[in-house]
Amino acid sequence: MKLNTIKIHYLIKLIIFWILFFTFFRLLFVIYHHAKIPDGKHSNTVLAFLYGLRLDLSVACFAAIIPYILWTIQQFFKRRIIHKLNLFYNAFLIVLVSLLSIANIKIYGEWGTLLNARALHYLLYPKEAVASISIWALLLLLFSCFISSYWGIKVYQKYLTHFSYTFENIKLKIVLIIIFPILLIIGGRGGLQLAPINESTVYYSPLAINNHVATNNIWYLAHSILDANDTKNPFLFTDNESAKKITEQLFYTTNDKSEIVVTAVNKPNVIIIILESWTADIIKALDGENNVTPYFDELQKKSILFTQMYGSGYRTDQGLVSILSGFPAQPYNSIITTPSKTEKIPSINNTFSKQGYQSSFYYGGEIEFANMKSYLLNTHFQKIIDKKSFKATEFNSKWGAHDEFVLQKQLTDLASEKQPFFSVLLTLSTHEPFEVPMKTPFNKGQEEDQFRKAAYYTDHCLSTYFNEAKKQNWYANTLFILVADHGHHLPKNRDMNYPEAKRITALLTGGALNKKLHGKKIDKICNQNDWVATLLSQLNLPHNEFIWSKDVLNKSTKEFAYYSNENYLGWITPQQNIIYSLTSNKVEAIQPKTENVLNDSLLIQAKAYLQTLYQTYLDY
C-alpha cells in the first residue's frame, strides 16, 4: 500500500462534519438565548460545548450508518448512482437537522424545553403551529434554515468528495468493513459502559439552560419519540403497589363535607372560561402586575379567588384535560392526542349530562388542533363551536376569532339554551403572537408588552361579557369558573421549570354564588385538576371516579400541587417546594432557599404521585 493512499477516511470526516454542524447550532442557541443566562455565568456555559460532544458523537454515528452501507457496496460495485444516493441522503439530513434545530431554538423560548415528540404532533396542524409566531419571526426562521442548509451542503460537497474512493488492498478493505460498524455501534451507545448514553451524560451544571445547551436536540427529540411510543412506565421509583398507596394517602380526607357552601341553587348553570396563558403574574390581587387586568381585579371582589392554584402542564391541551377531566399533565405524552384513551377518561361533562345538563364548548380556533375535537366528542359535548362559526372579518391573522366575538357568540346562544346548562369557553387572544383589535396602554414592541396588551384586551372583553351576562334571566342561577390553562414565562420572563411560572389565575363567581363569600380568598395550595372534585362536591354530585382531583374547600384536604414537563417534576407544599430533574434524577432546587435541607418524605410523595399518574395514563 502506497503512503499517499493513507488519508482521513470518508466516514471519519463525515462524523467530524456532523459534530461541527451540531456545534454550529449549539452556538446559535446560546446567542439567541443569551439573555436567559445570568450575568457572570457565561464562562460556565462554554463548557456545554465540551460536555455535549458525547451526544453529538452518538447522533453522528447513527447518521453515518446509511453512508457506511453505501460505501461498503461501493467497494465492490463502483457505480455513480451509489454516490448520488449518498449525496442525496446527506443533503436531506442536513436540511432536516437545520429545520429541527432552528425550530428547537424558537420553541425553547416559548416552552422552556427542547423540541420534543409533542411539538411534532402540533406540526400535523401547520396553520395553527405557524399561528404561534409573527410573520417576520417565521420568515427569519425559514431564512435561517435555508442559509444553514445551503452552507451545510456546500461544505459537505467541498470537503467530503472521496466517498467513491475504493481501496485496492483487499485486506485493508475487509478490515475497515468489519471495524467501522463496531466503531459506529460503540459511538452510538456512547462507549463500552454498562448503560447506553442518555441526557444525564451531558448534564453538568446547576443552571438548567447550560444542560439544555449541552444536550443534542436531535438526540433529545428521537428519545422523546421513542418514549412517546413506549408502553412501559419510565418513572419506576418504587414498586407500583407502594407508589399507589402513598398516592392514595395524599387524597385521603377525614371529612366528606366542604368547609363552605358556595351556592344554594340546586342545579345551577355552570360556565367555565378557560383563559389562555393567564399567569398569576398579570393579576394584581395575586401579587402580580398592576393595571394589566383591571376588570378582573374588580370582579374578584365579588368572587372567591384561589391564590395558590398551579397548572400541571404547559400546553393548552394539557390544561383542558386537567380542568375538565381532573387528570394532571404527564411528561412525554398528552393523553388528549390518543382518542383510544380519551374514550375511557372520566369527564365532568359526563357527570353533568347524567343530571340533565345541556352542554356546549366554544373556541375561536381550529377545534381539530391537538385532537381537541376527539376529546370533546369522546366526553359527549353536545354542541361544539369553533372558527367555522365566525366571519373572516372577526379573525386575527393567525389563530381564529378574537375573544370578544367568541364570548358574544356564547352569550347569544345561551339566551335560548335550556337550563340547566354546562358551557365551556376557551380564549385564544393571549396566545402568541398576541394580536388584538384594540389600542391598550401597552404599545411597546417588546414581547412582554405584547403579552400585557393581549391580556388587557381579553380582560376588556370579559368586562363587556359579564355586563351583558348580568342582564340575562339565567345569570342569577349561574356559577362561573375562570381558570387559566397554564402559566407563562411572560411578562416576568420566568423559568418555566420553576413553580413561580406555574401559578395561575383561578376564580369562582356568578349570580348563584353565596354573596357572603364575595371577596373571599382560598390560600390552599392546589392544582387546576382539583376544580372537578371541588365543584361536584359543592353540587352534591358524585366525584369518586376523579381520583386525581381533590376538594379544595374540604378542611381535611391535604395541600400540595404537582407539575411536570419533559425535564422536571415539581412538587409544591406548605413545607417545601422541590424541583426534581427527570434527566439527571437529582433534586435540582429546593424552595425556600433558606431551607437547604431536603424533606425526603416530600420527595417520596412526588415520585409516587408521578409514577402512579403515568401508570394510570398507560392503563387507559
Side-chain angles (χ1 to χ4, degrees):
M1 182 176 62
K2 296 180 180 180
L3 186 63
N4 62 5
T5 63
I6 302 177
K7 302 176 180 179
I8 298 178
H9 193 273
Y10 163 78
L11 291 174
I12 297 176
K13 290 199 293 183
L14 179 63
I15 290 174
I16 294 173
F17 166 82
W18 281 118
I19 291 175
L20 292 175
F21 203 51
F22 296 141
T23 301
F24 166 74
F25 285 110
R26 183 172 286 117
L27 180 61
L28 284 185
F29 186 99
V30 172
I31 294 172
Y32 190 89
H33 294 296
H34 71 92
K36 295 181 180 293
I37 304 172
D39 293 338
K41 300 291 185 179
H42 289 79
S43 59
N44 194 33
T45 303
V46 174
L47 294 176
F49 290 79
L50 177 62
Y51 280 91
L53 285 176
R54 288 189 65 187
L55 275 186
D56 290 351
L57 176 61
S58 176
V59 178
C61 287
F62 284 118
I65 291 176
I66 298 299
Y68 160 75
I69 295 173
L70 294 173
W71 174 82
T72 301
I73 296 173
Q74 187 80 309
Q75 296 304 301
F76 300 98
F77 305 98
K78 190 172 183 179
R79 298 289 187 273
R80 185 168 180 80
I81 184 63
I82 299 176
H83 186 279
K84 289 183 176 180
L85 283 174
N86 185 66
L87 177 60
F88 175 82
Y89 168 83
N90 283 287
F92 171 79
L93 281 190
I94 289 170
V95 174
L96 182 62
V97 168
S98 297
L99 179 62
L100 294 176
S101 298
I102 295 296
N104 174 69
I105 292 172
K106 176 60 179 175
I107 282 177
Y108 188 86
E110 306 300 333
W111 293 9
T113 184
L114 300 176
L115 184 68
N116 52 53
R118 184 179 292 137
L120 287 187
H121 178 81
Y122 295 141
L123 295 181
L124 296 175
Y125 307 89
K127 290 183 179 179
E128 286 70 30
V130 169
S132 297
I133 57 177
S134 67
I135 186 64
W136 291 111
L138 177 62
L139 291 174
L140 179 60
L141 291 174
L142 292 175
F143 178 75
S144 300
C145 179
F146 172 80
I147 292 297
S148 57
S149 299
Y150 174 80
W151 282 109
I153 294 172
K154 292 288 288 185
V155 170
Y156 175 89
Q157 289 178 317
K158 182 175 181 180
Y159 293 103
L160 287 91
T161 56
H162 299 294
F163 168 78
S164 60
Y165 180 83
T166 57
F167 288 94
E168 297 301 325
N169 187 317
I170 189 66
K171 292 182 180 180
L172 178 60
K173 184 184 299 187
I174 293 174
V175 168
L176 291 176
I177 290 173
I178 294 173
I179 288 178
F180 271 122
I182 296 175
L183 295 177
L184 291 178
I185 291 172
I186 293 174
R189 76 183 305 277
L192 296 174
Q193 72 282 356
L194 182 62
I197 194 171
N198 56 43
E199 291 97 330
S200 297
T201 307
V202 302
Y203 268 54
Y204 73 98
S205 172
L207 191 63
I209 190 170
N210 286 343
N211 298 324
H212 296 156
V213 171
T215 303
N216 183 289
N217 65 285
I218 305 300
W219 197 97
Y220 183 91
L221 174 61
H223 194 188
S224 74
I225 292 173
L226 291 175
D227 282 342
N229 295 321
D230 199 353
T231 57
K232 295 182 180 180
N233 192 335
F235 307 110
L236 295 176
F237 303 106
T238 184
D239 63 277
N240 281 331
E241 192 60 33
S242 297
K244 186 176 180 181
K245 287 181 179 179
I246 294 171
T247 305
E248 288 176 346
Q249 189 62 33
L250 289 170
F251 289 90
Y252 176 76
T253 58
T254 58
N255 191 333
D256 291 335
K257 294 185 178 180
S258 299
E259 181 180 358
I260 60 176
V261 178
V262 302
T263 183
V265 178
N266 183 28
K267 281 189 176 182
N269 306 309
V270 176
I271 296 177
I272 298 179
I273 300 178
I274 301 176
L275 298 163
E276 169 68 50
S277 302
W278 269 45
T279 168
D281 285 334
I282 60 172
I283 307 298
K284 180 183 177 182
L286 297 176
D287 299 321
E289 296 188 358
N290 193 15
N291 295 325
V292 178
T293 56
Y295 176 73
F296 186 93
D297 290 331
E298 288 300 314
L299 180 64
Q300 65 90 20
K301 296 176 183 178
K302 295 184 178 180
S303 311
I304 300 176
L305 182 67
F306 293 77
T307 65
Q308 293 291 325
M309 184 170 285
Y310 294 82
S312 61
Y314 59 95
R315 299 298 299 177
T316 300
D317 55 296
Q318 297 172 317
L320 187 65
V321 176
S322 186
I323 294 166
L324 299 183
S325 290
F327 192 73
Q330 62 283 337
Y332 305 150
N333 299 295
S334 182
I335 195 169
I336 199 173
T337 62
T338 311
S340 61
K341 293 183 181 295
T342 56
E343 289 174 356
K344 304 171 187 175
I345 196 170
S347 166
I348 192 172
N349 184 53
N350 289 334
T351 302
F352 280 138
S353 295
K354 293 175 184 177
Q355 300 298 317
Y357 278 71
Q358 303 298 304
S359 60
S360 57
F361 186 92
Y362 291 79
Y363 178 51
E366 178 57 64
I367 204 66
E368 283 83 10
F369 180 58
N371 263 341
M372 284 199 300
K373 185 177 182 180
S374 67
Y375 168 72
L376 295 172
L377 291 175
N378 283 339
T379 52
H380 306 104
F381 273 87
Q382 296 166 311
K383 179 190 293 184
I384 300 174
I385 300 297
D386 74 342
K387 65 187 300 182
K388 293 187 288 291
S389 300
F390 300 92
K391 302 175 183 177
T393 54
E394 297 172 337
F395 287 10
N396 62 27
S397 66
K398 301 293 182 180
W399 281 106
H402 292 291
D403 287 350
E404 60 183 288
F405 302 112
V406 183
L407 288 163
Q408 182 57 52
K409 171 67 174 172
Q410 185 195 51
L411 281 179
T412 301
D413 291 353
L414 291 181
S416 57
E417 186 69 87
K418 180 182 176 182
Q419 300 185 56
F421 56 72
F422 172 57
S423 186
V424 180
L425 186 146
L426 174 60
T427 70
L428 57 72
S429 293
T430 37
H431 196 294
E432 298 85 350
F434 312 126
E435 294 179 342
V436 297
M438 67 173 282
K439 291 183 178 181
T440 76
F442 309 100
N443 296 311
K444 296 180 181 179
Q446 293 96 331
E447 194 176 28
E448 295 85 351
D449 250 28
Q450 294 298 306
F451 180 73
R452 295 184 185 101
K453 177 185 70 175
Y456 186 94
Y457 164 72
T458 299
D459 181 76
H460 172 77
C461 295
L462 289 175
S463 173
T464 303
Y465 173 86
F466 275 100
N467 287 334
E468 183 64 28
K470 290 174 182 177
K471 302 175 184 177
Q472 308 303 313
N473 58 11
W474 48 258
Y475 180 80
N477 299 319
T478 303
L479 287 175
F480 292 83
I481 294 172
L482 277 64
V483 57
D485 54 351
H486 53 75
H488 206 280
H489 69 285
L490 295 174
K492 295 183 180 294
N493 289 305
R494 300 281 197 187
D495 186 330
M496 289 301 292
N497 296 314
Y498 281 68
E500 295 81 6
K502 302 296 183 180
R503 195 162 67 101
I504 60 173
T505 301
L507 173 148
L508 178 63
T509 191
L513 180 65
N514 184 347
K515 290 181 173 55
K516 293 181 180 180
L517 300 176
H518 284 187
K520 185 175 180 59
K521 293 183 179 181
I522 305 296
D523 298 322
K524 279 188 177 181
I525 296 172
C526 58
N527 273 122
Q528 61 193 168
N529 40 287
D530 294 327
W531 268 119
V532 175
T534 302
L535 179 61
L536 292 181
S537 179
Q538 284 293 319
L539 303 182
N540 297 313
L541 295 175
H543 54 86
N544 293 338
E545 63 179 331
F546 300 95
I547 61 174
W548 296 98
S549 185
K550 59 185 184 291
D551 179 6
V552 181
L553 301 180
N554 188 314
K555 279 186 177 181
S556 62
T557 295
K558 295 178 178 64
E559 288 191 61
F560 68 87
Y562 149 94
Y563 67 87
S564 70
N565 57 32
E566 282 79 357
N567 299 318
Y568 294 96
L569 160 64
W571 196 249
I572 305 166
T573 72
Q575 298 81 26
Q576 191 176 70
N577 299 340
I578 299 173
I579 298 91
Y580 181 83
S581 172
L582 296 173
T583 49
S584 65
N585 294 317
K586 296 178 181 178
V587 173
E588 178 160 305
I590 303 170
Q591 296 176 334
K593 294 181 180 179
T594 53
E595 299 179 10
N596 202 28
V597 179
L598 173 66
N599 187 324
D600 291 325
S601 63
L602 294 180
L603 181 58
I604 290 172
Q605 290 175 359
K607 289 181 175 181
Y609 184 101
L610 176 58
Q611 178 175 332
T612 309
L613 172 65
Y614 205 88
Q615 191 59 50
T616 304
Y617 160 79
L618 293 175
D619 292 341
Y620 272 127

